[in-house]
Amino acid sequence: MISKQDLERLIAREGGDHKILSLFLDMSVNSDNKRTHQVFLAQREGQFRELESERAGHSREAIGAAFGRIRDWLDNEFDEENRGVVIYVELDGDWFEALQFPVTVQNRMVIGPRPAIGPLAQVIESYHHHGVILLDREHVRILSVYLGTLMDEIEVRGKPLDIAHDIQAGGYSQQRYQRRKLEEMKHFFREFTREVEAFERRYQPEDFVILGTDENVARFMEFLPDRIRDLVAYTGPMRVDELSSEVLERLEPHLEELRVQEAQEVLQRLRERAQQDYLATAGFQSTLSALQEGKVDTLIIERDGDGEEGSRCPTCGFVFALEVKTCPYDGTSTTAGVNLVEEAIRMAEAQGAEVQFVSPSTADDLRGVGSLLRF
C-alpha cells in the first residue's frame, strides 16, 4: 500500500543523466467489466514510433524498451483488485519502480529529469487514514482503513455477566441486576477506551469514526480522552458484527462527504484571508514565492491540473510563474517549460506543508492555486 514515505522517497530522488518516464494508469473497469488502460498505453506508445532514434532523452529505442518493461509488469505483477498504478522507468537506465493502490488515478504520462509526483500526491493527500470503531455494550471492533481498504482489525469481547438464578422480572433483584449491568458496561467501555488509545498510538489515524446505536455511541464518547474525542469526525448507526466489506461500502459516502466538506472549508478560509490580504496567497506567482521562502502552512490546489508552465533559474533554482527570461536574482538565463503544478506540490511536500486538493474550477477565482501562510 502506498504511503507518505513513498512520496518523500521519490521527492528526494535527485535528477540524473537519464530521463524518467512517469506513467499513471486508471486500472478501473468500465460498464463492460473491462479495463481501458491499454488504449491509453497504445496511444502514448504510438506517439513515439516515428521519433528519430537520436533524439536526446526521448529515443525511440529507449522508450520502446520502457514500454516493454511496463507491459511485462502489468501482465505479471499487477494485482487486479487494485484500481490505480504509477510506474517509473529510467530511460536507458536500470531504475524501475511500480506502485499500485485501490483507488483510481487519471491516465497521464510524463518524461522529465525527475519522477513526477503530483498525481501520486493527490491520491495520498486526498484520503485520510481512518480508525473505525464499531461497538455495543460488550463488544468492540477497531478497523484501520486507508484508501477505502481494510488494513487491519482488532476485536475485543467482554465477558457477559452471569444471570443469577434468584433474579426475577421486577423487584429488588431485577434492580440490582440492572445496576450490575450498568457497572459492567462502564467496565467494558473503559477497557474499550484503552484499546482505542493503544490503536491510536500504534496506527496514528488522522481521525476516528464511531458506529453503533445512538445511546452506546454517546455513552462511549464520555469515556474517551479529549485528544481522541477531538479526532472523531463522524458517528452513525451500524451493527457491531457487520461484515467489514459492508461497513466500508456503507461508510464510503459519508467519508467522501467529509472530504468534500474539508476541502470547502479550507477553500473558504483561503478566500477570506485573501480578501483581507492576511497570511494568504492566490495564483501561482505569489504562491511559488511563498513556498520558496518557506512560509506556506497549507497549499490549496485544484486536482488533476498540469497545464500551467513557467521557468526556472538553473543557478539558484528559483521558479517563476511568469515568462522570465533572465533571473532577477543572479542574471542567469532561465529554462522554460517548467510544470508549475508539479513544482508547487513538490515544494510543499518537501517542506512538510499540508496539501489540500480541491475540485476543478472551484478555485478559479483564486487562479487555481493559493496558500495559507504560517507567517
Side-chain angles (χ1 to χ4, degrees), residues 194-314:
R194 289 192 292 269
E195 292 291 341
V196 170
E197 290 180 290
F199 177 95
E200 193 271 338
R201 289 192 297 270
R202 179 179 179 184
Y203 293 94
Q204 298 182 337
E206 293 167 88
D207 57 40
F208 278 99
V209 170
I210 306 181
L211 305 174
T213 66
D214 290 344
E215 181 182 359
N216 284 339
V217 170
R219 283 181 175 270
F220 182 64
M221 290 275 285
E222 296 174 2
F223 288 82
L224 294 174
D226 289 343
R227 65 182 182 84
I228 300 292
R229 195 182 301 116
D230 290 343
L231 292 176
V232 176
Y234 174 76
T235 64
M238 190 84 68
R239 290 188 299 110
V240 69
D241 57 354
E242 193 73 72
L243 291 175
S244 297
S245 57
E246 181 69 16
V247 172
L248 298 184
E249 183 177 347
R250 290 170 56 185
L251 191 55
E252 178 53 35
H254 301 290
L255 298 181
E256 174 61 23
E257 185 178 345
L258 289 175
R259 290 192 288 269
V260 171
Q261 180 181 342
E262 180 183 15
Q264 291 175 341
E265 289 175 353
V266 74
L267 195 56
Q268 182 58 32
R269 190 156 64 249
L270 173 60
R271 287 194 177 98
E272 291 171 356
R273 285 203 196 177
Q275 291 172 358
Q276 299 170 9
D277 194 22
Y278 174 72
L279 293 179
T281 66
F284 272 103
Q285 187 55 54
S286 59
T287 301
L288 287 168
S289 296
L291 281 166
Q292 290 167 117
E293 294 169 4
K295 295 180 177 181
V296 172
D297 178 75
T298 304
L299 173 69
I300 297 95
I301 192 164
E302 290 183 344
R303 61 178 70 249
D304 300 326
D306 65 352
E308 294 284 341
E309 289 191 350
S311 56
R312 184 202 314 274
C313 173

Side-chain angles (χ1 to χ4, degrees), residues 40-308:
F40 176 78
L41 272 179
Q43 291 173 342
R44 291 297 176 267
E45 192 172 8
Q47 292 178 352
F48 294 95
R49 287 176 183 160
E50 305 301 323
L51 291 177
E52 297 181 5
S53 61
E54 297 302 319
R55 182 177 173 184
H58 293 69
S59 74
R60 183 172 54 198
E61 289 84 355
I63 292 178
F67 272 100
R69 297 176 73 182
I70 289 167
R71 293 186 183 280
D72 181 69
W73 184 89
L74 289 171
D75 290 340
N76 297 289
E77 302 294 335
F78 173 65
D79 182 347
E80 293 190 356
E81 293 184 357
N82 286 312
R83 301 170 65 199
V85 160
V86 54
I87 300 175
Y88 298 106
V89 189
E90 190 176 37
L91 301 181
D92 283 324
D94 296 328
W95 183 51
F96 180 97
E97 182 168 348
L99 301 169
Q100 52 186 317
F101 33 89
V103 296
T104 59
V105 64
Q106 191 176 63
N107 288 327
R108 185 181 174 196
M109 191 181 87
V110 180
I111 296 177
R114 299 177 298 181
I117 56 90
L120 182 61
Q122 181 171 303
V123 171
I124 292 173
E125 297 290 359
S126 296
Y127 290 84
H128 285 183
H129 178 194
H130 306 283
V132 179
I133 303 167
L134 297 100
L135 65 95
D136 59 20
R137 295 192 176 196
E138 300 174 347
H139 181 196
V140 69
R141 293 164 61 201
I142 312 173
L143 314 183
S144 173
V145 178
Y146 180 53
L147 297 179
T149 301
L150 178 64
M151 305 296 294
D152 203 354
E153 179 173 347
I154 297 169
E155 184 171 6
V156 177
R157 291 181 181 271
K159 184 179 179 181
L161 179 70
D162 292 331
I163 300 177
H165 294 297
D166 64 339
I167 293 176
Q168 303 294 328
Y172 177 76
S173 294
Q174 180 67 18
Q175 292 174 356
R176 184 175 63 183
Y177 170 71
Q178 294 298 334
R179 288 197 300 269
R180 289 181 64 188
K181 291 298 288 184
L182 179 60
E183 290 304 313
E184 182 185 67
M185 180 205 69
K186 293 179 179 179
H187 170 75
F188 288 154
F189 278 10
R190 292 188 188 99
E191 181 182 358
F192 298 166
T193 295
R194 289 192 292 269
E195 292 291 341
V196 170
E197 290 180 290
F199 177 95
E200 193 271 338
R201 289 192 297 270
R202 179 179 179 184
Y203 293 94
Q204 298 182 337
E206 293 167 88
D207 57 40
F208 278 99
V209 170
I210 306 181
L211 305 174
T213 66
D214 290 344
E215 181 182 359
N216 284 339
V217 170
R219 283 181 175 270
F220 182 64
M221 290 275 285
E222 296 174 2
F223 288 82
L224 294 174
D226 289 343
R227 65 182 182 84
I228 300 292
R229 195 182 301 116
D230 290 343
L231 292 176
V232 176
Y234 174 76
T235 64
M238 190 84 68
R239 290 188 299 110
V240 69
D241 57 354
E242 193 73 72
L243 291 175
S244 297
S245 57
E246 181 69 16
V247 172
L248 298 184
E249 183 177 347
R250 290 170 56 185
L251 191 55
E252 178 53 35
H254 301 290
L255 298 181
E256 174 61 23
E257 185 178 345
L258 289 175
R259 290 192 288 269
V260 171
Q261 180 181 342
E262 180 183 15
Q264 291 175 341
E265 289 175 353
V266 74
L267 195 56
Q268 182 58 32
R269 190 156 64 249
L270 173 60
R271 287 194 177 98
E272 291 171 356
R273 285 203 196 177
Q275 291 172 358
Q276 299 170 9
D277 194 22
Y278 174 72
L279 293 179
T281 66
F284 272 103
Q285 187 55 54
S286 59
T287 301
L288 287 168
S289 296
L291 281 166
Q292 290 167 117
E293 294 169 4
K295 295 180 177 181
V296 172
D297 178 75
T298 304
L299 173 69
I300 297 95
I301 192 164
E302 290 183 344
R303 61 178 70 249
D304 300 326
D306 65 352
E308 294 284 341

